[in-house]
Amino acid sequence: MQRTIMEALMPELTSPYAQGQAMSAIGMLAHAAAVLESAPAYDAAEIKDLRATFAALKRLGDKHISKKSGLRGALARATRAGVKTSPDRRAMEESMSVFAAAVALGNVDDSVARHVRGYIRRNLERSRNLLGASLPTG
């Protein structure tokens, strides 16, 4: 698409505005291609971090994760999803969202909150690295 815009479309555009829009489209396509190329590494890092975070939460034990909170079930689902031959990242993320909500509502102790906040911080950094600090705009 980039080459088509550059070789076929650009020579036909006479307006500086239209030419600028075409160049913006080329920039956005280049950015999208870079994101797609780095997505597999992002996915692998995300799964590795989710596994490690849930393993750390599991090591905290029942003392830190109350039965009535529903977090034990979320932890069990995440652990099962993470040990599959092809890990179920969506199920792991769903479990993490349950933990994140509990942290936001103040329904967990500091040990659990520290692990969840750490994961969220790392996830945001990975997302920022994948998508870039800003997207090209036209």
Side-chain angles (χ1 to χ4, degrees), residues 58-120:
K58 192 172 185 176
R59 283 191 301 274
L60 290 176
D62 294 345
K63 175 183 171 190
H64 295 278
I65 301 175
S66 72
K67 200 173 202 175
K68 66 179 182 175
S69 69
L71 295 176
R72 288 184 191 178
L75 182 56
R77 287 188 300 278
T79 302
R80 283 192 305 274
V83 297
K84 291 182 177 182
T85 303
S86 181
D88 186 348
R89 183 172 142 203
R90 181 174 296 189
M92 295 169 75
E93 289 173 337
E94 286 172 3
S95 291
M96 182 53 71
S97 71
V98 172
F99 275 89
V103 169
L105 295 171
N107 294 338
V108 295
D109 72 14
D110 289 340
S111 298
V112 172
R114 189 171 36 259
H115 286 291
V116 173
R117 286 187 183 117
Y119 164 78
I120 292 170

Side-chain angles (χ1 to χ4, degrees), residues 1-133:
M1 287 178 70
Q2 288 173 286
R3 194 167 88 195
T4 299
I5 292 172
M6 196 72 127
E7 293 175 1
L9 186 59
M10 285 293 288
E12 301 298 322
L13 300 174
T14 56
S15 155
Y17 174 78
Q19 291 171 349
Q21 291 300 303
M23 292 305 294
S24 291
I26 290 170
M28 285 188 262
L29 289 170
H31 181 75
V35 168
L36 290 174
E37 287 175 11
S38 58
Y42 170 86
D43 290 337
E46 187 67 14
I47 289 168
K48 182 179 178 182
D49 194 5
L50 283 163
R51 282 177 169 158
T53 302
F54 285 121
L57 289 167
K58 192 172 185 176
R59 283 191 301 274
L60 290 176
D62 294 345
K63 175 183 171 190
H64 295 278
I65 301 175
S66 72
K67 200 173 202 175
K68 66 179 182 175
S69 69
L71 295 176
R72 288 184 191 178
L75 182 56
R77 287 188 300 278
T79 302
R80 283 192 305 274
V83 297
K84 291 182 177 182
T85 303
S86 181
D88 186 348
R89 183 172 142 203
R90 181 174 296 189
M92 295 169 75
E93 289 173 337
E94 286 172 3
S95 291
M96 182 53 71
S97 71
V98 172
F99 275 89
V103 169
L105 295 171
N107 294 338
V108 295
D109 72 14
D110 289 340
S111 298
V112 172
R114 189 171 36 259
H115 286 291
V116 173
R117 286 187 183 117
Y119 164 78
I120 292 170
R121 216 175 2 266
R122 293 184 302 273
N123 171 269
L124 290 172
E125 181 63 19
R126 272 191 301 279
S127 297
R128 187 189 64 75
N129 289 334
L130 176 67
L131 300 174

